[in-house]
């Protein structure tokens, strides 16, 4: 018979979501921040050169996305650390370069391509770069350290309690008036 006092041990970290759930969170959070960034760049570009505005918004959105991915996408339950910010920025830079090379390649192959073709190439490259970035973030940046296992915070084992009806009382001289408490049967 299993004791009702036995509990599963709590773990030091919460379980990470599965790959599909994490990818959905990645798309929703990253896409939401990307949509806001696409609005913010032209607004900021009214006060400074577009290249500077794009760099400022890209840096800010990368910081925000790294925090969101640490807390929600990969369920770390904590803020991202500096190492994770730098590694995430590196993967974002690689994704930026991949999309830029794809659009540049389109212009080399088809110099008079229309905006629709350019958007298709950009969004396709962005999707592939995003999937690669998700993989890098999941398997490398936000993965647990190798060789480190989750340790229980507390282990509780079932303890057999003695049956009060079978407990034999020993004489005890320390009770007031030398009387002993009696167990109810």
């Amino acid at each position: 018979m299993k004791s009702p006092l036995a509990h599963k041990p709590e773990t030091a970290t919460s379980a990470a979501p599965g790959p599909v759930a994490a990818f959905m969170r990645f798309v929703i959070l990253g896409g939401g921040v990307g949509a806001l960034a696409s609005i913010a760049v032209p607004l900021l570009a009214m006060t400074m050169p577009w290249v500077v505005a794009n760099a400022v918004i890209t840096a800010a959105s990368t910081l925000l996305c790294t925090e969101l991915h640490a807390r929600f996408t990969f369920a770390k339950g904590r803020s991202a650390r500096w190492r994770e910010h730098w590694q995430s920025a590196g993967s974002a830079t690689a994704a930026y370069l991949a999309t830029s090379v794809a659009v540049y390649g389109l212009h080399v192959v088809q110099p008079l391509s229309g905006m629709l073709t350019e958007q298709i190439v950009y969004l396709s490259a962005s999707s592939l770069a995003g999937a690669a970035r998700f993989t890098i973030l999941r398997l490398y940046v936000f993965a647990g350290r190798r060789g480190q296992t989750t340790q229980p915070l507390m282990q509780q084992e079932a303890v057999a309690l003695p049956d009060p009806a079978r407990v034999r009382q020993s004489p005890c001289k320390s009770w007031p008036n030398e009387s002993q408490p009696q167990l109810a049967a």
Side-chain angles (χ1 to χ4, degrees):
M1 182 171 121
K2 200 170 198 178
S3 169
L5 298 177
H7 296 287
K8 287 184 179 180
E10 296 178 34
T11 56
T13 58
S14 60
V20 174
F23 186 72
M24 294 305 295
R25 293 176 186 176
F26 180 82
V27 169
I28 292 168
L29 294 172
V33 171
L36 292 174
S38 70
I39 295 169
V41 170
L43 291 175
L44 192 59
M46 288 191 262
T47 62
M48 61 183 68
W50 188 89
V51 174
V52 176
N54 188 31
V56 168
I57 296 300
T58 298
S61 65
T62 300
L63 284 170
L64 176 60
C65 277
T66 302
E67 284 297 319
L68 291 173
H69 292 324
R71 292 174 189 257
F72 303 111
T73 302
F74 302 108
K76 290 295 180 185
R78 60 164 172 78
S79 181
R81 298 188 172 118
W82 282 110
R83 176 190 62 82
E84 294 162 338
H85 275 291
W86 282 111
Q87 290 171 335
S88 181
S91 70
T93 301
Y96 174 79
L97 291 173
T99 55
S100 296
V101 166
V103 172
Y104 177 75
L106 170 67
H107 289 277
V108 168
V109 173
Q110 207 173 35
L112 299 174
S113 61
M115 186 180 289
L116 179 62
T117 305
E118 191 174 276
Q119 280 296 92
I120 290 170
V121 169
Y122 173 77
L123 292 174
S124 298
S126 182
S127 296
L128 290 173
R133 187 163 185 259
F134 169 78
T135 303
I136 289 168
L137 292 176
R138 180 170 172 84
L139 298 178
Y140 182 68
V141 176
F142 292 110
R145 294 183 183 199
R146 289 179 174 81
Q148 186 180 39
T149 59
T150 303
Q151 297 294 323
L153 292 176
M154 143 176 46
Q155 286 185 335
Q156 295 179 350
E157 296 180 15
V159 177
L161 297 175
D163 184 8
R166 295 183 185 197
V167 174
R168 195 182 111 196
Q169 293 286 324
S170 62
C172 180
K173 303 289 184 194
S174 64
W175 294 100
N177 301 331
E178 295 185 18
S179 64
Q180 294 180 1
Q182 298 296 321
L183 293 175

